[in-house]
Amino acid sequence: MRNPIRLYMSMSLDGCIAGPDDRPGQELGRDGGRLFNWLDDRDSDGPSGQVYREALATGALISGRRTFELARRWQGDHHDGVPILVLTHQVDEGDVPPGHARFVTDVHDCAHQARAAAGDKPVMVHGASAAQALLRAGHLDEMEIHLIPVLLGEGRRLFDHLGTNHIELDLVRRLDDRDVTHLRYRVRRSEEAA
């Protein structure tokens, strides 16, 4: 695939991407920082360093609105000035996102704009709602899940609101590192799953 739309997400074994009570000032929820300990090795030559460098080599970013706001809008630059497309249900009049960010209300248009902006590079996706919307619309191609060996028990779950459709995945890469297993899945299209 020329430029896949790929989710990058740290997740506990019980499916949480943030601890309970995630909000401004406590963006990762209670104990949610545990999901990002693997980033201590992001500058290494090991698997976590490789995955981190790949993430920063993406050519555009799709984010859910909640993630965008909790990240303080990344001050308009997630990495290297790449376009940030914020998938949202509505745009308030006068709300102009900073820097390289823009709001998009249609999931198909968002995917199209992101692929065009990324050129030959992959598109990064952040946020549960954006990932779910892209999956339901058939636009999410891959998932890079940073699986953390912890059970948070409660918190924000990545796949809570997907609906009842069956989605098949193919494991295309597994990289083990200290305190994390990086799993890359390719999303099978409905014609492949049949």
Side-chain angles (χ1 to χ4, degrees):
M1 176 165 296
R2 185 174 68 92
N3 62 343
I5 294 179
R6 181 183 300 143
L7 173 68
Y8 286 86
M9 194 65 84
S10 292
M11 184 177 80
S12 66
L13 189 59
D14 56 348
C16 294
I17 59 170
D21 195 27
D22 58 327
R23 57 181 161 75
Q26 187 171 276
E27 289 79 10
L28 301 175
R30 286 191 315 275
D31 300 324
R34 170 69 177 86
L35 300 176
F36 296 90
N37 288 354
W38 71 271
L39 287 173
D40 291 345
D41 295 322
R42 68 180 168 255
D43 295 324
S44 75
D45 291 329
S48 291
Q50 174 187 339
V51 169
Y52 185 75
R53 286 186 297 278
E54 289 171 359
L56 293 184
T58 54
L61 169 69
I62 296 174
S63 173
R65 179 67 177 260
R66 188 168 199 284
T67 299
F68 181 65
E69 299 299 347
L70 284 173
R72 296 184 187 100
R73 297 180 169 207
W74 294 293
Q75 289 77 47
D77 187 7
H78 184 275
H79 67 278
D80 298 330
V82 302
I84 301 169
L85 293 98
V86 182
L87 189 56
T88 184
H89 293 292
Q90 69 179 35
V91 179
D92 296 329
E93 186 176 331
D95 186 2
V96 178
H100 304 281
R102 63 181 176 263
F103 295 127
V104 184
T105 57
D106 179 81
V107 67
H108 303 289
D109 186 37
C110 187
H112 176 75
Q113 285 186 46
R115 281 192 206 276
D120 289 334
K121 296 179 178 181
V123 174
M124 176 189 286
V125 177
H126 277 329
S129 62
Q132 292 171 30
L134 289 160
L135 262 172
R136 285 190 303 266
H139 290 295
L140 191 64
D141 302 307
E142 296 178 346
M143 291 186 265
E144 183 82 36
I145 302 295
H146 318 297
L147 190 62
I148 311 304
V150 66
L151 301 171
L152 289 183
E154 61 179 335
R156 186 164 304 279
R157 297 190 191 282
L158 181 54
F159 299 116
D160 258 357
H161 306 288
L162 274 180
T164 59
N165 287 340
H166 186 94
I167 299 170
E168 289 285 341
L169 307 172
D170 292 317
L171 181 64
V172 295
R173 183 175 79 177
R174 175 188 170 140
L175 300 173
D176 294 307
D177 206 358
R178 182 175 63 95
D179 211 26
V180 63
T181 301
H182 301 284
L183 301 166
R184 182 174 294 172
Y185 292 96
R186 185 179 62 85
V187 178
R188 281 194 211 170
R189 299 295 171 226
S190 56
E191 59 274 6
E192 294 176 294

